[in-house]
Amino acid sequence: MNTDHPAERLLMGPGPSPVPQRVLRALAAPTIGHLDPQYIAILDETCELLRQVFRTRNPLTFPVSGTGMAGMECVAVNLIEPGDEVIVCVNGVFGSRMQDLMQRCGATVHTVEAPWGKVIPHERIAAALEEHPAAKLVGIVHAETSTGAHQPLEGLGRLVHEHGALLVVDAVTSLGGHDVRVDDWEIDAIYSGAQKCLSCPPGLAPVSFGPRALERMERRRTKPQSWYLDASMLRKYYTGEGGRLYHHTAPVNMTYALREALKIILEEGLDARIARHAAAHQRLRAGLEELGIRYIPERSLHTLNCVAVPEGVDEAAIRRRLLEEYGIEIGAGLGQMAGKAWRIGLMGHGATTRNVDLLLTALRHCLA
Ligand SMILES: *Cc1c(COP(=O)(O)O)cnc(C)c1O
């Protein structure tokens, strides 16, 4: 295998997604110092663009250095103190990861579970809040990438706040592809990842903390167990409060790339972009159903299409052929769905009619 030049793939898996040339060119701009006034201005612009994409006015909105999991970890370590009770909704791999991570932060985690592919009804969350009145937060995955289920969030923030808890949302596979409204939906802390619907290379995790989350952090009795992800130190650098203090060397070129990716999103317009994802999903769904391929989740995401592998088909062999003969990557089933599902991403730059039709044609050939 030639490893000199990475191949040009059509990325239609669970991430990374296709990266536009404009973003790749931004990545190749000269590296400057992370305390250079010009870099600080670029970083400020990036955070402002992030606020627009998150639809929030939260001052503490910035890209965490690391992938989506670093975003999850940043939110958890800053909002949880050992001994806290929390509620986590689990209906797939990423909900389970949130449970695991919050347990590692010393929390007692109560779960609200649903079968894989189902979403979690808000009444079940209300019942859990009644049952565990000391719960400090509710964690939930908006776009469960392991099952393709699209979790409704509207109204949940109000419900959680009536019980004095915070709402923490994983928007890794929804931000930039589905509607995400941090302020309108009263989300207190949210994280995402650069390489899904934002169409940037992996390496940054946008996060945003609202006023209730800030208050919680200010009242902590203990320091977060992660030094690297401690928001009380990070905010001095990212927001400039109390001077731009060195904490760690910000990933300078990745910030250029993220800024460019966010500019592209806002040039298209969030609503137009969300509509494009919906249209691509509908076209894919119609084509797959014509091939006799069925969707698994009850309420499918547009950005991640989790479908059942037809009876008698070697799912790995089809994926291999798609990659080798057509240069198309799709994802395998994860966890319980390993061997039984394909996960087809229509994320960001990749959510187009052209890509949908290419994949359907290739898949038809491979299945024939
Ligand atoms: C991909 C993903 C993550 C983790 O992101 P990484 O960039 O792989 O660290 C977390 N949550 C969800 C829902 C995801 O799809």
Side-chain angles (χ1 to χ4, degrees), residues 14-15 66-72 94-95 97 141-146 170-173 191-196 202-204 343 347:
T67 64
M69 288 308 301
M72 189 192 288
F94 292 99
R97 281 192 180 185
V141 179
H142 187 208
E144 185 40 91
T145 317
S146 63
D170 178 320
V172 178
T173 297
Y191 57 89
S192 191
Q195 81 279 18
K196 306 234 175 146
L204 286 175
R343 291 180 303 142
M347 298 189 192

Side-chain angles (χ1 to χ4, degrees), residues 233-256:
M233 294 195 283
L234 292 172
R235 68 193 284 188
K236 295 194 177 116
Y237 176 72
Y238 285 100
T239 69
E241 286 167 32
R244 298 280 178 175
L245 281 184
Y246 164 63
H247 177 265
H248 68 277
T249 308
V252 171
N253 292 57
M254 274 305 296
T255 308
Y256 305 159

Side-chain angles (χ1 to χ4, degrees), residues 88-92 111-115 117-126 139-141 149-153 156 298:
V88 174
C89 299
V90 180
N91 55 350
T111 58
V112 179
E113 296 181 29
K118 299 274 188 256
V119 295
I120 313 238
H122 291 188
E123 307 80 73
R124 303 248 343 265
I125 300 168
I140 195 161
V141 179
H150 183 190
Q151 173 67 44
L153 293 179
L156 187 57
E298 64 172 332

Side-chain angles (χ1 to χ4, degrees), residues 1 25 31 44 70 74 82 91-92 99 117 132 146 203 207 225 248 274 276 287-288 295 300 320 322 335 350 365:
M1 185 183 294
R25 277 199 297 272
T31 303
D44 283 346
C74 181
N91 55 350
Q99 173 187 7
H132 306 290
S146 63
V207 298
Q225 72 270 43
H248 68 277
I274 291 162
R276 173 165 60 76
L288 290 172
Y295 273 65
S300 179
R320 201 174 320 114
L322 283 173
H365 287 170

